[in-house]
Amino acid sequence: MSVRELVVLGTASQVPTRHRNHNGYLLRWDGEGFLFDPGEGTQRQMLRAGVAAHDINRICVTHFHGDHSLGLAGVIQRINLDKVPHPVSAHYPRSGQRFFDRLRYATAYRETVALLEAPVDTDGPLVRTPGYTLEARRLSHPVEAYGYRIVEPDGRRMLPDRLAAHGVKGPDVGRLQREGSLNGVALEDVSEVRRGQRFAFVMDTRLCDGVYALAEGCDMLVIESTFLDEDESLAVEFGHLTAGQAAGVAREAGVRHLVLTHFSQRYTDPAEFERQARAAGYEGDLTVARDLDRIQLPKRRA
Ligand SMILES: [Zn+2]
């Protein structure tokens, strides 16, 4: 069975705290693993969360501040130490290539794995596979930052009662799916659109067009809410979101499961983020992320 879940490795902005590691997230998407924004300490958090270096197929870095990238050095060396048997691709803002180079080669080690550098310098699709398209959108932060989005293509769900009514059964079902029509029966007559799932990862940004574009129609949105609403002026100044702003985006975009994270260490009560998100009118599933949470993508829409 295919697994689609978010494993939260760390949730602190800027500096780790006693209860929160620097950022880090692994998304399991069927057989693939996407490691997002590995901050300092990500390698050890992977161990605690049961994530192996082998689980990583792609690394996506939104920007080169330490809480989103200092973990690259350790994770990349671990991928090589463990001789991960598949290539690993890395996506990050091209303007930060010098930071990526330093982190990749921070110390001496034996390179055993093909690490493919695929820097991002424009909005749009980065990779298309049969199972998903990975897209990037520019965000608004003091250093160049991109958010990421994974979009599964729409498919079709076969309807047993319609198949029976048209007398299609056995191997003919597969033939009809492959060929689009069979003996005068069209695929559309016996099936409905099965909407592909969508996941977005939005870190370190003010409100901007990219935030809304990434969030649009997502089954799960992982988004920073560094600040509470009373500190909105700080959020704007430093290029961040508040809980209410992030939840407002999720509400407008029709997000089904909102995951708030990347919290400033100035706040002590996580429940306040939830209260402000609800006050902003967001009514879907909501998680105020904690380190080592595992969060399933919602079941497909009926
Ligand atoms: Zn940050």
Side-chain angles (χ1 to χ4, degrees), residues 7 15 53 62 73 125 142 174 188 200 254:
V7 182
V15 293
T62 58
E188 292 74 34

Side-chain angles (χ1 to χ4, degrees), residues 12-14 23 37 63 65 67-68 141 203-204 226 240 262:
S13 71
Q14 200 168 43
N23 275 283
D37 279 5
H63 68 294
H65 277 149
D67 52 330
H68 301 260
H141 196 54
M203 285 295 128
D204 289 32
T226 310
H240 288 292
H262 189 274

